[in-house]
Amino acid sequence: MLSQKTLERLEGKSLPGLFSVHLENHYKLPPMAAKTLCSDALLWRDLLEPRSRGDGQIVYHVVKLGQPAARPVKDCEKVSVRLTILDSHDALRRRETGLRTLEMLVMERIGGGKTSAPAARSFVLSRSGYADIFS
């Protein structure tokens, strides 16, 4: 069981916690008003932008599928994609199959792999792209 002090320290490291602290410091709001405003803002974000990033996801800019092979990466058309780095079932998978298997599953999930149809994939991810994500 985590102590109240530990919970308060960890709360400041989450998105709502960081946003609340920003509202308190920048706009000089009382802590309760900042927390309420933060929860309302996050609710509206979820309602207005259902495609927003979820827990364990990052937004990453990748080369769009179908770009010519000889074209330099800086000149290629890029798309923003949401990649799920950490899934809610990953801890269980790690216990059952081990860390190496979990690493392979995460890389397959990020790259599209067998989990999505080729037509559904709209991007190409290189080895340097994987290295950039995991660094």
Side-chain angles (χ1 to χ4, degrees):
M1 189 76 179
L2 297 174
S3 68
Q4 185 64 26
K5 186 175 181 179
T6 304
L7 289 173
E8 288 172 2
R9 183 177 55 81
L10 291 174
E11 182 181 314
K13 295 183 179 183
S14 66
L15 174 65
L18 290 171
F19 188 47
S20 292
V21 168
H22 172 73
L23 292 173
E24 289 175 37
N25 294 335
H26 189 72
Y27 296 103
K28 307 294 185 224
L29 293 175
M32 196 58 180
K35 286 181 182 177
T36 303
L37 187 58
C38 175
S39 67
D40 286 353
L42 293 175
L43 173 70
W44 279 104
R45 179 202 66 184
D46 292 341
L47 291 173
L48 296 175
E49 182 56 51
R51 291 180 28 105
S52 65
R53 187 174 46 88
D55 290 339
Q57 291 184 330
I58 62 169
V59 175
Y60 193 72
H61 304 285
V62 294
V63 175
K64 185 176 180 178
L65 193 63
Q67 297 298 302
R71 184 180 290 174
V73 173
K74 65 179 181 155
D75 297 333
C76 290
E77 185 178 352
K78 298 188 180 59
V79 292
S80 297
V81 295
R82 286 180 301 137
L83 302 174
T84 304
I85 303 295
L86 184 62
D87 187 79
S88 59
H89 304 292
D90 284 349
L92 178 62
R93 287 187 189 118
R94 181 178 179 182
R95 277 193 301 262
E96 291 175 351
T97 61
L99 182 59
R100 183 68 183 145
T101 306
L102 177 61
E103 287 174 353
M104 297 307 290
L105 287 170
V106 170
M107 289 186 71
E108 184 178 298
R109 179 171 61 218
I110 289 172
K114 300 172 191 166
T115 58
S116 66
R121 283 186 44 198
S122 60
F123 64 94
V124 178
L125 194 56
S126 65
R127 286 185 180 192
S128 60
Y130 281 108
D132 186 37
I133 291 169
F134 289 112
S135 64

